Structure formats: structure tokens, C-alpha cells
Amino acid sequence: MNIAFVSYSHDFSAVCPSGQMLYYNIISEEDATVSITYPDYGWGWDGEIISGELELPSHVEYNGINYTVTEIGSSAFSSTNITGSLVIPNTVTEIGYQAFLFCQGLDGTLTLPESIRNIGTMAFSLCQFTGELVLPDAGKSISIGEKAFSNNNFSGELYIPQSVKYVGNSAFYGCNNFNSLTIAENSITYISSEAFRYCRNMTELNIYANIEKVYSNAFLDSGYYLDSTKWDGDLLYYEDILLNARNDISGVVDIRDNTRLIAGSAFADCSSLTNVNFPNSLKSINISAFYGCSSLADVNFQNSLENIDASAFQRCNSIESVVIPESVRSVGDRAFSECNNLESVTILSDDITIKQYFILDSDVKSISIESMNIPLIDNNAFDGIPDTIPIYVPCGMKDEYSAAEFWNRFTNYRESLFFVFNVTSNDISMGSVSVIQEPGCDDDLAIVTALANQGYEFVNWTKNGNIVSTEETYSFILDEDVDIVANFVSTTLSLEESTKTNLYAYPNPGENILNIRTVLPEGRIEVYDIMGKVVYKQDITEEVTKIPTEGWAKGMYLWRVYSEGKEAEGGKWVKQ
């Protein structure tokens, strides 16, 4: 004896207010709640037609119990031949996955009830609504799933009220007939990937919410994107958000002042981009913003940047070094991975979290961390980087880093002062410099010496532009970034001895007056400071030229007399 078992997808059925037979599953006997589902066994409506307006009930009675309709279940009406409008009662809190997918007979305006809390993935995708979409502003959080309303013909303004807290990827993708978008204050804080892509008539944006992130291609090929008047050269902005760059953008790009964030994939695969000048207003670089910019070589971040998202600079093969400024608080997954020529990374921030695969498949040869606070890193943050590369840390921090979680994999820690220490000559043809003692953690004393070439003499050392010593050997404590320059001058006073005439520069040394006596006719006098800057010039009109020097800094000066376009005389003068 064969027994056939029939599996039903519903618990009971009942006629709805608009006259159609609908099917229900009981969610909770205790709460007396039900979900609308599809009929009988198998999946879907199997060719049944629901024509005319479909009005769903708020309550339905079964076995003497009055149930509240709180959900429209997954695929409840998917691919159903519904024609006309749709009315959803103010008891429904959730519309499930693909609930009305491909219901191409639906038209008119869709008004969602104040009770709604969640609109599932593809819930109304590929319907043909021609009127407005009205989202409730009920003061409670609403979530809109991926592709929830994609490829519809809604018209008018799309208004996202403050009750909406989440809009999924491609939620309104291909909704060609919206003419504007308004996002209310205190609603969503980020705009998902391709959320409004291909909304080709959406030419106006009014975003009042505090948007923290814009994911990849959120407005690509929208009406706003396609309107050439919205572009600033090769860049598309909405107020302080940089949305997109043209794919053929090349060379050096200046991002305009006041830009707060760069949207996801904004410059993705711009292979001719070589340099970006970031403004000091920039707070966030979103996911994949510069992904695949293979010619991008310089990334000089300002100390305003707080967030570098996942894959932001992945596959930027021309970048050789990266400095993460003090202001940065988070670096996302693979932010600089597959940057094949990246050799050095410097981290200045003292409050930062670095996610996994940060520099995977790069060629990093050293990492410098200037913070006394050990950065938080994921277990896989430095996967692919040899354990033996030098890791430079502040003086006294080697043991702490060696013991820190996930940092303890590295075996070659080195302590450093982290001050910039540049020693140069003002002219290598005049003289050379050498460092006798390099400053370090054990001894921060620096000793440098200068050696003049034949025909020249040493004058002084300057540190960051200020004269600090006239001794050839100079020592100092390194406690800041410094540029140390040895200054040399020529010991020859003129180009040719035969052109010299009877001359005097007096008093020498002097204080507030420099007198130069010369008998050269129609000459010109110029005076230079030790850095070669002209501080005074005058045509010769008398045998003795009096030059006031009250405002000049103490030190050595060079004077030259020119006649008929050639240097005829010259000398040195010292102001006391």
C-alpha cells in the first residue's frame, strides 16, 4: 500500500479584503501573529493570477483566533501576475526576501506603512511601479535590503526620511525615473555600493545627513553623474564629498579645499594618475578609492586624515613609501596590499587600528613606528612580510614591542630617535661636510665637521636657517628635526687682478654703516648675506658709497662692484 504525503507551504488560507485568496503561516500562537506566504506545495503561485488592486489584511481569523499580519514572507508573491496597485496594512513590520520580485504588473504609487521595520533583499526588485515611493517617517529604525527597489519606474522625488538607518547595496539601482534624491538629517550615515547607480534622471541631490562613508559607484551613471555641469574639470563633487574622477584623468591632481571624504572607487583604475595633493580638510578615504592606480607614486597625507578604508590603495604599484600621519585612527583590510614597489612604511599615529593583510604582497623592507603606544593590529595584518625586516621603534620600546600580541612575530627590532638629521654644504664645489658622530638612543650628541676646498674658506654652520657656530667642528644635542648647513665663500675678491682699482670697505668690522670707496665709473654695488640673498644694491654716484646697515643681522656679508656688466671688485664685511 502506497501512501502519498502532501507538504503544504502554509498553515491556512483566507480571502483578503480585495477578494483574493491568500495563504498564511503562523509565526506565534502566543502573540497570534502570522506571515503571508505562497500557496500549496512546491514554490510560488504556479501561474495563479491576482488581478486588480491587492489589499492585504491587517488581521485574519482562523479557528476562532484573530491573528495579526506582521510579515510578508520570502517569495510570498514572487513572479505573480499581480496587476494594479498594492496596499500594505499598518501591522506589517517585515517584507521578506524577494517578496514581490518580478511582479511586473504592479504599478502606481507604493506607500509603505509606519509599522514597517525591514524591507528584505530584492523585495520589490523588477516591479513596474510608476508613481512615487513613500517611505514612512515613523521615528523607528527602518532597514532597506540589497536591491530592494532596483529596476523600478518610480517617479518624482526619492525621499529617505530620518527613520531609515540602512540602505543596502544597489537598493535603488536602475530606478530611472526618480528626478531627485533627498536624504534627511539623522538618517543613514553611509551610502552603500551602487545604491543609486543608473538612476539616470536623478539630477538633483539634497543630502542633509552626516554621511561618513560613500561606497563604490554609489552614483555612477546617475543623472547627477551624467550632468556635465556638475563636474569640476575631471572631478565630480557633491559639496564636501568627492564622488568620482574620470577614468582617463592623468598627471597631478589637486583635490579641492574643504573636501571631507573621497568616495569608494572614485579613482579606481585611473592608470595615468601620478600624484594627488590631498587637502588638510580630508577625513576619510573610502573603500577602493585608488584601487589599481598603477602610476600613482606619491601619497602625501595631511594630518587631518582619520580613516583609510579597505583596499584604498591596493595594486598601486608605483608607491615606494607610505607615511601614516598622527591623525589616522583606522586602516582597513588590504589598504596597501599588492603595492609591488612599496619598500617602507612609517606609522606616526599613537591611536590606530590596522586590519588584516595591510601590506600583503608588497616589497616592504622596513617599518618605522614612532608612537610610544603600540598600534592595535589584526593577526594577519602583516601577512607576507618577512619576520626579519627591521622594525624601528622609539628609544626604550624594543622589549615592549617584542612582547606585544601579533607584533611578537618580528625578530629585528631597532630603537631610533626618529628625528630628521640632514647635513649638507651650501655648495659642494666650495667644501664638504662629514658626520663624526651619529646621534642615537644611547647618545643623542651629534658632531659634524666642515672642510673647505682650495680657494674657499669655511664661514659658519646654520641650523634650520639660523647661524649656530663659526667653528669648523660643531656638536649639538639632536632633539628636533634639523637641516645643518656648512657655509663656504670664495677667498678671491675679483674676477681678474688687472681690473682692481683703489678701493676700501670700512669700518670693517662695522656696526650701522658700511662705506665702500671705489673710483670705477658707472658701477653698481650689491651686498649679499652668507646665504647668497641680495640685501642691498645701489648705483655708484660718488667716490664713497654709504650703506646703512642698522637693520641687518650680525654676521658676515659679501659685497661686489660691477662695471660694464662684469664683476670688477669684491670683498667681505662683518657686522658686529
Side-chain angles (χ1 to χ4, degrees), residues 555-574:
M556 181 175 290
Y557 293 84
L558 306 177
W559 59 271
R560 294 286 184 266
V561 175
Y562 296 87
S563 179
E564 298 179 352
K566 297 181 179 179
E567 181 181 348
E569 304 170 345
K572 293 181 286 186
W573 179 76
V574 177

Side-chain angles (χ1 to χ4, degrees), residues 255-269:
I255 296 176
R256 74 184 184 193
D257 292 340
N258 97 323
T259 300
R260 180 174 54 87
L261 66 84
I262 299 174
S265 299
F267 292 87
D269 296 316

Side-chain angles (χ1 to χ4, degrees), residues 22 89 112 132 162 235 269 330 351 359 434 487:
L22 299 183
L112 296 177
E132 295 182 349
Q162 63 178 358
L235 302 177
D269 296 316
S330 66
D351 182 15
I359 48 178
S434 60
N487 296 293

Side-chain angles (χ1 to χ4, degrees), residues 375-388:
L376 296 175
I377 61 173
D378 281 358
N379 182 30
N380 301 319
F382 293 103
D383 268 21
I385 304 302
D387 297 348
T388 55

Side-chain angles (χ1 to χ4, degrees), residues 416-431:
S416 173
L417 289 172
F418 288 121
F419 292 121
V420 176
F421 175 49
N422 292 324
V423 184
T424 58
S425 164
N426 69 321
D427 189 332
I428 58 174
S429 68
M430 295 184 181

Side-chain angles (χ1 to χ4, degrees), residues 68-304:
T68 302
V69 178
T70 59
E71 294 182 11
I72 301 172
S74 296
S75 303
F77 296 96
S78 181
S79 299
T80 305
N81 293 320
I82 305 173
T83 60
S85 60
L86 173 65
V87 178
I88 299 174
N90 195 28
T91 55
V92 171
T93 60
E94 181 165 347
I95 300 173
Y97 172 76
Q98 296 186 353
F100 294 91
L101 172 67
F102 213 70
C103 291
Q104 293 195 322
L106 284 171
D107 60 18
T109 292
L110 175 61
T111 301
L112 296 177
E114 293 186 357
S115 57
I116 202 73
R117 296 293 169 266
N118 184 59
I119 302 165
T121 298
M122 300 180 73
F124 293 95
S125 183
L126 293 165
C127 295
Q128 295 297 316
F129 291 101
T130 56
E132 295 182 349
L133 171 63
V134 181
L135 299 171
D137 192 1
K140 296 181 180 179
S141 297
I142 297 174
S143 174
I144 299 175
E146 294 186 10
K147 299 183 179 180
F149 298 98
S150 63
N151 295 295
N152 265 280
N153 292 322
F154 292 112
S155 60
E157 177 192 36
L158 172 57
Y159 178 74
I160 298 180
Q162 63 178 358
S163 58
V164 175
K165 303 301 183 185
Y166 173 80
V167 174
N169 295 342
S170 303
F172 298 95
Y173 180 104
C175 291
N176 281 327
N177 292 331
F178 284 126
N179 58 33
S180 65
L181 168 67
T182 298
I183 302 178
E185 188 177 5
N186 299 322
S187 59
I188 56 176
T189 57
Y190 64 88
I191 299 176
S192 297
S193 177
E194 299 190 333
F196 306 101
R197 187 172 184 178
Y198 289 116
C199 293
R200 294 186 181 275
N201 285 308
M202 187 183 283
T203 58
E204 296 300 323
L205 305 181
N206 300 286
I207 302 175
Y208 302 106
N210 181 26
I211 300 299
E212 298 174 2
K213 293 181 187 290
V214 178
Y215 285 88
S216 298
N217 301 320
F219 293 94
L220 188 65
D221 295 309
S222 67
Y224 189 87
Y225 177 94
L226 297 171
D227 185 348
S228 62
T229 67
K230 307 293 187 186
W231 288 75
D232 182 359
D234 290 326
L235 302 177
L236 178 65
Y237 295 89
Y238 174 77
E239 295 186 350
D240 59 358
I241 301 172
L242 197 167
L243 294 173
N244 289 95
R246 297 198 189 281
N247 192 251
D248 60 354
I249 195 170
S250 62
V252 179
V253 172
D254 295 315
I255 296 176
R256 74 184 184 193
D257 292 340
N258 97 323
T259 300
R260 180 174 54 87
L261 66 84
I262 299 174
S265 299
F267 292 87
D269 296 316
C270 292
S271 58
S272 297
L273 181 68
T274 61
N275 180 269
V276 179
N277 293 320
F278 297 104
N280 59 14
S281 57
L282 187 64
K283 298 292 185 184
S284 183
I285 299 174
N286 291 169
I287 185 169
S288 300
F290 293 90
Y291 181 99
C293 293
S294 56
S295 299
L296 180 61
D298 294 321
V299 283
N300 299 314
F301 302 123
Q302 301 295 320
N303 198 33
S304 60

Side-chain angles (χ1 to χ4, degrees), residues 388-408:
T388 55
I389 68 166
I391 308 291
Y392 295 93
V393 298
C395 296
M397 291 293 292
K398 176 180 177 180
D399 291 343
E400 292 190 43
Y401 272 88
S402 297
E405 185 178 25
F406 306 139
W407 288 102
N408 53 14

